[in-house]
Amino acid sequence: MGGAPRRPAMAAAAVPSSLLLFAALFVGRAAAYGDGATALHSHAAFFDRDGDGVVTLSETYGAFRALGFGFGLSTVSAAFINGALGSKCRPGNATSSKLDIYIEDIQNGKHGSDTGSYDAEGSFVPEKFEEIFAKHAKTIPDALTSDEIGQLLQANRQPGDYAGWAGAEAEWKILYSLGKDKDGLLHKDVVRSVYDGSLFHRLAPNWNSPEKEKLSMIREN
């Protein structure tokens, strides 16, 4: 399935100062999807490599590869995400592939059994985010262990909402694999950074610039 991502080492303590810079760099990009761009728009904007407002299956796959995931997991993740969201996040007059995700409608793809940290429009809800750690961070106040994430998922499950269960579990498992530190802790600042997508930009800074990515590959070889 591709295994854990080959991600760059990231010290949790070093994240906050850099995140503001990354947020500033791509908030303008998310704003291209409308005057009411939300945190969820910014989150999804990372996957829209060419900035046309539409996330294709190949862009989702490429984004996962850029984040360090293997071929298998990237393929499955892209199929799952675009398959689940493509039909929900598209205007009625769209003529492109039904697997394409239109970022302007990304809020329509919100699933149940989540933390509520995005509201119905995709705006970030600080109170709900704080509840995550107030209720489930028992080992360390500002971090989650793998077991605590499992408890969070169980607590948020709505009866019979199997699609929501699957979506929430996939999201948190991916976040944990990307953001955990050497002690297996997922820190609060790292979790916060995924809601506006700044974590993705930190881990794959060349993804939205094909020229930079090509130059990086040349240097590596």
Side-chain angles (χ1 to χ4, degrees), residues 22-165:
F22 281 109
L25 289 174
F26 68 85
V27 158
R29 180 185 178 85
Y33 307 120
D35 293 335
T38 64
L40 186 55
H41 285 107
S42 296
H43 171 97
F46 169 77
F47 297 86
D48 179 20
R49 188 175 200 186
D50 58 12
D52 66 352
V54 179
V55 180
T56 65
L57 180 68
S58 62
E59 283 180 316
T60 304
Y61 168 81
F64 271 83
R65 293 289 281 165
L67 288 168
F69 290 96
F71 168 80
L73 186 56
S74 297
T75 299
V76 171
S77 297
F80 177 78
I81 292 170
N82 285 66
L85 300 183
S87 61
K88 297 178 180 179
C89 305
R90 61 189 287 110
N93 61 352
T95 58
S96 64
S97 168
K98 291 184 178 180
L99 294 176
D100 288 347
I101 300 169
Y102 286 73
I103 295 181
E104 64 180 331
D105 294 325
I106 192 65
Q107 69 278 358
N108 296 334
K110 266 180 49 65
H111 59 75
S113 301
D114 64 357
T115 65
S117 296
Y118 288 128
D119 65 14
E121 286 72 43
S123 297
F124 181 68
V125 183
E127 296 81 6
K128 289 293 184 180
F129 175 75
E130 293 296 333
E131 282 184 12
I132 295 173
F133 294 87
K135 291 181 177 180
H136 303 287
K138 305 302 182 183
T139 306
I140 296 177
D142 289 339
L144 296 169
T145 65
S146 178
D147 288 344
E148 288 167 348
I149 290 173
Q151 293 163 10
L152 177 153
L153 292 169
Q154 288 286 343
N156 288 335
R157 284 183 174 178
Q158 300 169 1
D161 179 27
Y162 303 115
W165 298 3

Side-chain angles (χ1 to χ4, degrees), residues 136-205:
H136 303 287
K138 305 302 182 183
T139 306
I140 296 177
D142 289 339
L144 296 169
T145 65
S146 178
D147 288 344
E148 288 167 348
I149 290 173
Q151 293 163 10
L152 177 153
L153 292 169
Q154 288 286 343
N156 288 335
R157 284 183 174 178
Q158 300 169 1
D161 179 27
Y162 303 115
W165 298 3
E169 183 162 355
E171 290 165 358
W172 278 96
K173 291 292 179 63
I174 289 170
L175 174 54
Y176 183 74
S177 68
L178 283 174
K180 66 181 177 181
D181 68 10
K182 61 182 178 59
D183 298 316
L185 295 171
L186 183 62
H187 289 265
K188 185 177 184 178
D189 50 8
V190 176
V191 179
R192 175 65 182 89
S193 70
V194 82
Y195 280 96
D196 61 10
S198 51
L199 175 65
F200 304 145
H201 288 263
R202 175 177 173 79
L203 295 178

